[in-house]
Every structure is written in structure tokens, then in C-alpha cells.
Amino acid sequence: AEAEVRDERDRGQTYLDVAGAMIVVLDPDGRVVLLNRMGHDVLRYVQGELVGRSWFDVCVPERDRQRARADFDDLVAGRLGPETQSFETAVMTKDGGEREILWHNTVLRDGAGEVTATLSSGIDVTERRLAEDRIAHLAYHDALTDLPNRALLGEHLELAIARARRSGRGVALLAVDLDDFKAVNDAVGH
């Protein structure tokens, strides 16, 4: 019987290890019960190194610990609805880096309905988040010089005009023309 249980556990661990997402199981106190291979790869810990340790003390950035712990306690106590069980948070890697993870959480219960653990699956969205931030930056800055572009000038000018109207003041815009700059604009764009 022990061999069958061990075989079943090993088979289950294999299934978790081939998952394309981090799988983290925490006990009701927030200690790591299980972390799959993807989780170890993302967090840069060796297999089993986090088991028994507080997830919040080890993997949550200090600035977020209090809020993350409160959210976890609310999840375990059943005070969070299904709409709050999916969210993005930062996690700390063993080397001190941070990764942005999109989590989905589920509470695990025993036959009597008591909470035994939480099961969280997470997808590393760090690169996507960086790309989104870069796209947002490029919308208002020149790709060549990284200087603010016409779109940002337009927004700031609109805000200045609105502020001037409210306060009864004026707005001035100074335009500077550089001789022979057309050649630069023609070569690399505005």
C-alpha cells in the first residue's frame, strides 16, 4: 500500500512538473507545501528548498507582505469572492530579482469542509509587462532620441490651456526653428 501511495504521489508530481505554469500549494498558515519545477525555475530555488518556509517571508517583496498576507488570510477565511481569486503580483527570486506573476487561486478543503491548503497556478508575465510599459512609453517619446514627442506635447498643451481657463491666466508656446534642420527630419523623421 505504501508503494502504491508513493507511486501515485510521484506520478502526481510528474504531472505538476510538466505544467506550463507555476504550481504553488500553501498550508493555511502560508507555508509552502509544494512547488513544481516551473516554480523552482522562475524563483531560482532548488527542488524542495522552499518546502516548510513562509511564502510571504521568502517570496513576497517586503513592500507587499502585509497586504499579501491579509489577502491570503481573507482567501482562506472565505471572505474573497471568485472575482478576486485572479490577480498579478510581484515575487522575489532567490537572487533578489523580481518577476511579475499572474495568479489564479483555489482553496482546497477536506471532507468536513475545513481548509487544508491553497492551490495557486501562476504564469510569469514579466516580459509582457515590460513590453506593455515600453509601448506606452513609445506612444509619448521619440524612439531615436527618447525625447517627448508631439503627442505628449499636445496632451501637456491641452492641460495647460484647461488650467489657464480655470484660473483666468494665459498660456504661451514658444516655437524654435533651426535653420537647415529639414535635412535631419528628412533623414530620420520628426
Side-chain angles (χ1 to χ4, degrees):
E2 287 180 22
E4 287 180 22
V5 168
R6 188 172 41 253
D7 289 345
E8 187 64 31
R9 185 189 66 231
D10 291 345
R11 190 171 24 261
Q13 184 66 45
T14 301
Y15 296 152
L16 293 175
D17 284 343
V18 298
M22 292 176 58
I23 306 292
V24 181
V25 177
L26 303 179
D27 70 14
D29 295 322
R31 289 185 305 267
V32 177
V33 175
L34 180 139
L35 181 66
N36 72 342
R37 183 174 298 140
M38 177 67 78
H40 285 97
D41 291 347
V42 169
L43 298 173
R44 298 185 175 98
Y45 283 90
V46 296
Q47 191 79 21
E49 190 175 358
L50 288 175
V51 172
R53 296 176 68 185
S54 168
W55 174 262
F56 302 99
D57 292 342
V58 178
C59 298
V60 176
E62 189 172 348
R63 68 179 183 276
D64 300 334
R65 284 185 189 149
Q66 187 175 1
R67 181 194 48 78
R69 184 64 204 207
D71 289 347
F72 177 79
D73 291 342
D74 286 344
L75 176 69
V76 169
R79 292 187 291 262
L80 296 180
E83 69 281 353
T84 59
Q85 293 179 359
S86 242
F87 55 92
E88 281 186 31
T89 63
V91 294
M92 290 187 329
T93 61
K94 185 176 184 177
D95 58 11
E98 285 191 15
R99 305 298 294 177
E100 194 72 23
I101 308 295
L102 174 62
W103 294 105
H104 180 76
N105 299 310
T106 303
V107 176
L108 304 176
R109 300 179 184 278
D110 62 16
E114 294 295 318
V115 174
T116 58
T118 62
L119 172 67
S120 302
S121 63
I123 298 171
D124 188 346
V125 295
T126 306
E127 305 309 321
R128 185 200 78 196
R129 176 62 71 90
L130 291 172
E132 289 171 352
D133 291 347
R134 180 71 181 146
I135 289 168
H137 181 78
L138 286 174
Y140 294 106
H141 293 82
D142 180 75
L144 179 67
T145 64
D146 203 40
L147 292 171
N149 64 15
R150 288 181 183 199
L152 188 58
L153 171 64
E155 282 194 16
H156 282 257
L157 190 56
E158 285 179 27
L159 290 172
I161 291 170
R163 203 172 23 251
R165 282 187 181 136
R166 284 193 306 271
S167 66
R169 296 186 163 183
V171 173
L173 175 65
L174 175 65
V176 177
D177 185 26
L178 300 176
D179 290 338
D180 301 321
F181 200 70
K182 182 177 181 343
V184 174
N185 282 339
D186 291 343
V188 295
H190 289 279

